[in-house]
Amino acid sequence: MILFASLMVFASSLTGRAGDESIPSVSRAHADILATRLVLWNGRICPLNTLATDFTLKVCGQRRPYGYTPEQVVASWALYPETWNRAPLILVDNDELRRRLALSGKRASVVQLYDGPAYRLQALLEAAAPDDTRLQRSITDVDERVRLVAELIAGTLIKPAPADTPPIPAWRMQLELWNNRFPLFNTLYALLLLAAIAGFIYYIRK
């Protein structure tokens, strides 16, 4: 949450759209400031853009839900949890689970997964047939998405890198940002790497 402290001054006057509901959101310009902040994520030090992209893909199933960048998603959800928890953002990719949750689309809001204090996914998991592994796996996947949101709101998901962490070289930082923002770049990079390896093997065999 320390990473978002500088945005609190701006947040109250900035709004965006999510579906048919107006929700507050951090502006693109202010969210972009966070992209290169170094954080601890998945056992390594990386730019916050990597964490935000992984979070958004996992929770929402896409990189830019409602046109928001990953940094806007994590910053806005952390700053405005009550409102963002009402927006249909959590991917539910199983038809049977959507039917049991009475969803009209492929995504649910956090509040739709609760019936008062009761967590609906827990009840559905307990009621699922023992041999229905597909439904059980889908419930577990959605539960993991909800847990990530809970960690974000609690301030435990984003861990700033230690103060004495050396900066990442500019070229490497830019490479990772491109890698996260443009999926096609992954394919092109892999093809270039493969071509370089093939060229090297051809050279040493001549």
Side-chain angles (χ1 to χ4, degrees):
M1 296 302 293
I2 295 175
L3 292 172
F4 302 129
S6 61
L7 296 173
M8 293 296 289
V9 175
F10 312 103
S12 60
S13 63
L14 303 171
T15 58
R17 298 288 300 180
D20 296 327
E21 184 180 7
S22 181
I23 65 173
S25 65
V26 173
S27 74
R28 171 71 183 271
H30 292 121
D32 284 350
I33 297 172
L34 300 175
T36 57
R37 298 290 181 88
L38 297 183
V39 297
L40 296 173
W41 177 244
N42 285 340
R44 73 183 185 95
I45 293 174
C46 64
L48 186 136
N49 173 259
T50 296
L51 179 153
T53 300
D54 290 350
F55 173 90
T56 306
L57 282 172
K58 175 65 178 178
V59 173
C60 307
Q62 54 183 287
R63 279 178 167 78
R64 298 190 57 166
Y66 301 110
Y68 292 138
T69 66
E71 291 86 359
Q72 282 181 293
V73 172
V74 296
S76 301
W77 215 326
L79 289 169
Y80 304 104
E82 291 187 2
T83 311
W84 275 70
N85 281 348
R86 296 183 179 278
L89 289 161
I90 297 178
L91 177 65
V92 181
D93 53 5
N94 180 277
D95 291 338
E96 177 59 21
L97 182 54
R98 288 198 293 266
R99 186 187 68 79
R100 296 192 182 197
L101 290 170
L103 300 178
S104 58
K106 291 185 177 182
R107 289 174 178 78
S109 65
V110 172
V111 296
Q112 286 178 301
L113 301 177
Y114 286 85
D115 185 8
Y119 187 41
R120 298 177 67 191
L121 292 180
Q122 182 63 38
L124 289 174
L125 185 60
E126 293 172 355
D131 59 343
D132 195 346
T133 56
R134 183 178 179 184
L135 177 60
Q136 292 176 9
R137 184 167 56 251
S138 295
I139 294 173
T140 301
D141 287 344
V142 176
D143 176 67
E144 185 178 347
R145 293 170 186 132
V146 175
R147 290 179 185 276
L148 284 173
V149 172
E151 290 177 18
L152 174 66
I153 293 171
T156 58
L157 182 71
I158 301 176
K159 301 177 177 64
D164 59 352
T165 300
I168 294 177
W171 66 267
R172 184 180 153 198
M173 175 71 74
Q174 194 59 54
L175 187 66
E176 185 153 353
L177 294 180
W178 283 345
N179 200 37
N180 293 334
R181 291 171 177 170
F182 306 107
L184 181 59
F185 181 78
N186 295 339
T187 303
L188 294 176
Y189 179 77
L191 290 174
L192 289 173
L193 183 61
L194 183 62
I197 294 173
F200 177 74
I201 294 174
Y202 175 77
Y203 174 78
I204 63 175
R205 286 186 175 183
K206 285 184 63 177

